[in-house]
Amino acid sequence: MSSAAGPLSEPQVLAHTKRRLFPTEGGAERSYVVADTQFSQDEWLPGRPIEPAIRDRLAPFNHVQVGGGYPDLVGVRDLESDLLAVERLGEEPPLIAIEAKGYASGGVDTQRGIVQAYDRLHEANAAYLAAPAAAISETDRTLARELNVGVLGVDAAGDVEALEVPRIVGNRTSSEATALRFQAGAQGVADKSFGLNHPKNYLGYPLAHYADGETADLLSEYQVVNAVTDARRGAAFLGLIDDGTTIELTSLGDEVIRFAKARYGTVERALEEFEDWHGSPKRFSELAPEWGMLSRRVVFDYEATELLVRELQDMHEDGIEAPSLVDVVAWVHEFHPSFTVELFIRGDEDIRSRVLTEDGELRLAELEDGNAYHSPTVFQLKAMLYHAGILTTRGDEPSELEPLEDVWALREPV
């Protein structure tokens, strides 16, 4: 990613900026960032190639509308105090938009970048211009201060300095930018996996945590599940536990305990029933109807479930009663493009550059390849929706998936 071959280009500026604002080291929590799809192509402008190493640095890609346009880089993260005039606003990490400018035939259009960044403040919490440090003038800095736009100067070595720091503004996040907040939160699917495809494995975790004894030992003893780490992670995804320094039950997790006590007297007696379900291929909502209804409530509390069910209902009303996975992705992308990409499409550079055009549109032929899909959605989440009585069919691993034949239909459309 060296710039020694010439002046800093826009993709180079953006890659250095991403490394500074969204470092991969340290595993920052509540952080997620995407670069615009124009940088996923071989050329970002005709005759201006993007080095493979830079594309790797910028991945994943998505086309996210913020304000009146599509930022070059948009993400969610708690930034360090030297990058912001105000460190926090509310409980959520800020939504950050970056417009990058590099050397082109006419120089560096820094003022246009500042105005573009300012436009993003209609929905972002903080916005920046990132540009080669030598090209940033005092006039640029004055304009940026007046518009509350941060200015990041990038030098030839790739170091990034905050020349002007913005103030955080109120959260007016669009529904499209919500996709980034979803990925940055505990329920995001990026670089993570449900790991298990049966809701009983996640319902059992708060019970074992609440009961007397070691959680892992109880999960094994009552034949709930042996993959304790996956069960714990999935319970956090579904909002049953807060998985921080210590594990705490959420209000939804407390409700699972109340449910168990009301029907069995103790959580230990409830766990005994899990032994009877071990290895059963039967749909959970039929095997244990009351637990199935509880699992339905739990999976409906997962943000992606509500969106999917709403859109599948709309498809049914439009006469599409047994849509394939390709049909669903194409349909939902029309209304929630950024969210659809984050939920269904794997995040690595090769997949998203194949599936998405420079303008963020879908290449439908690429959706016919099962390996393009994110396993936690098309396998684990779909299987849980099946067991909860919401969908008609189970999910498949991407390696075995036939997207044109994989049906996503509501079991009980209204």
Side-chain angles (χ1 to χ4, degrees):
M1 207 169 65
S2 169
S3 60
L8 286 167
S9 68
E10 186 169 317
Q12 287 173 324
V13 167
L14 195 62
H16 292 310
T17 301
K18 179 184 176 182
R19 188 183 64 242
R20 172 66 178 86
L21 269 63
F22 295 89
T24 56
E25 299 80 10
E29 294 183 358
R30 303 198 306 169
S31 174
Y32 187 72
V33 60
V34 295
D36 189 66
T37 47
Q38 66 176 310
F39 300 104
S40 69
Q41 312 304 308
D42 292 336
E43 297 180 339
W44 65 282
L45 288 175
R48 297 180 184 176
I50 303 175
E51 298 172 33
I54 289 180
R55 287 205 306 272
D56 288 343
R57 164 62 68 177
L58 292 176
F61 302 99
N62 205 340
H63 198 50
V64 183
Q65 185 169 10
V66 179
Y70 298 86
D72 294 328
L73 196 71
V74 58
V76 175
R77 181 174 179 255
D78 285 320
L79 294 179
E80 293 79 9
S81 58
D82 61 331
L83 294 168
L84 290 172
V86 177
E87 189 172 349
R88 289 289 300 276
L89 179 71
E91 293 300 318
E92 291 187 326
L95 181 74
I96 303 149
I98 295 127
E99 295 294 341
K101 296 299 175 185
Y103 284 100
S105 57
V108 183
D109 197 351
T110 51
Q111 292 200 6
R112 181 167 180 263
I114 292 168
V115 172
Q116 287 175 321
Y118 173 68
D119 173 79
R120 310 303 177 242
L121 285 175
H122 290 295
E123 292 175 346
N125 301 124
Y128 295 84
L129 162 73
I136 299 170
S137 67
E138 285 300 323
T139 302
D140 293 331
R141 295 180 62 169
T142 299
L143 175 63
R145 282 196 300 272
E146 291 175 352
L147 297 180
N148 189 31
V149 169
V151 177
L152 303 171
V154 183
D155 66 20
D159 294 326
V160 179
E161 180 183 0
L163 303 178
E164 300 293 337
V165 293
R167 302 180 307 280
I168 289 282
V169 298
N171 180 7
R172 293 165 284 176
T173 303
S174 69
S175 59
E176 277 307 283
T178 298
L180 281 299
R181 292 200 179 280
F182 170 74
Q183 288 288 41
Q187 293 187 322
V189 295
D191 300 321
K192 302 170 186 175
S193 171
F194 278 108
L196 306 167
N197 57 16
H198 201 300
K200 76 173 181 64
N201 298 319
Y202 304 125
L203 292 172
Y205 193 91
L207 296 177
H209 175 74
Y210 183 87
D212 291 332
E214 291 293 327
T215 302
D217 293 341
L218 292 170
L219 289 172
S220 177
E221 177 185 344
Y222 290 103
Q223 298 186 53
V224 179
V225 64
N226 290 320
V228 176
T229 300
D230 285 334
R232 172 175 169 173
R233 184 168 57 224
F237 272 25
L238 292 173
L240 296 169
I241 61 171
D242 283 327
D243 192 0
T245 306
T246 60
I247 297 175
E248 301 290 340
L249 294 181
T250 63
S251 57
L252 189 59
D254 287 338
E255 190 61 23
V256 173
I257 303 302
R258 294 188 187 98
F259 174 89
K261 284 187 169 183
R263 283 154 183 78
Y264 302 95
T266 68
V267 293
E268 287 80 7
R269 282 190 172 182
L271 284 168
E272 289 175 3
E273 188 161 357
F274 279 67
E275 294 183 77
D276 297 333
W277 303 331
H278 183 70
S280 173
K282 194 172 182 179
R283 188 196 293 264
F284 193 44
S285 59
E286 297 172 357
L287 179 67
E290 287 189 332
W291 283 96
M293 290 301 296
L294 179 62
S295 68
R296 190 182 185 110
R297 177 189 170 183
V298 169
V299 297
F300 237 103
D301 206 55
Y302 184 61
E303 184 176 355
T305 301
E306 183 178 357
L307 182 147
L308 284 172
V309 171
R310 183 172 65 246
E311 296 303 332
L312 290 174
Q313 176 64 38
D314 287 347
M315 294 181 79
H316 177 84
E317 293 173 2
D318 208 45
I320 309 172
E321 298 182 359
S324 71
L325 174 58
V326 174
D327 294 330
V328 171
V329 173
W331 173 284
V332 180
H333 189 266
E334 285 292 318
F335 305 99
H336 313 278
S338 300
F339 202 102
T340 303
V341 171
E342 297 303 332
L343 185 63
F344 282 99
I345 307 302
R346 284 171 50 196
D348 62 86
E349 180 268 329
D350 177 63
I351 294 296
R352 291 208 177 169
S353 63
R354 285 199 292 111
V355 171
L356 297 172
T357 69
E358 179 179 344
D359 297 323
E361 297 300 318
L362 293 173
R363 294 187 175 99
L364 294 180
E366 297 294 341
L367 295 179
E368 297 177 17
D369 178 8
N371 289 310
Y373 294 92
H374 198 48
S375 177
T377 299
V378 299
F379 181 37
Q380 284 91 351
L381 176 59
K382 189 185 180 193
M384 287 192 291
L385 296 178
Y386 166 82
H387 278 294
I390 296 171
L391 296 184
T392 60
T393 59
R394 290 181 171 89
D396 286 315
E397 288 278 15
S399 60
E400 301 175 358
L401 188 63
E402 296 291 344
L404 289 173
E405 299 174 9
D406 185 49
V407 174
W408 288 61
L410 293 176
R411 189 180 181 214
E412 298 165 337
V414 295

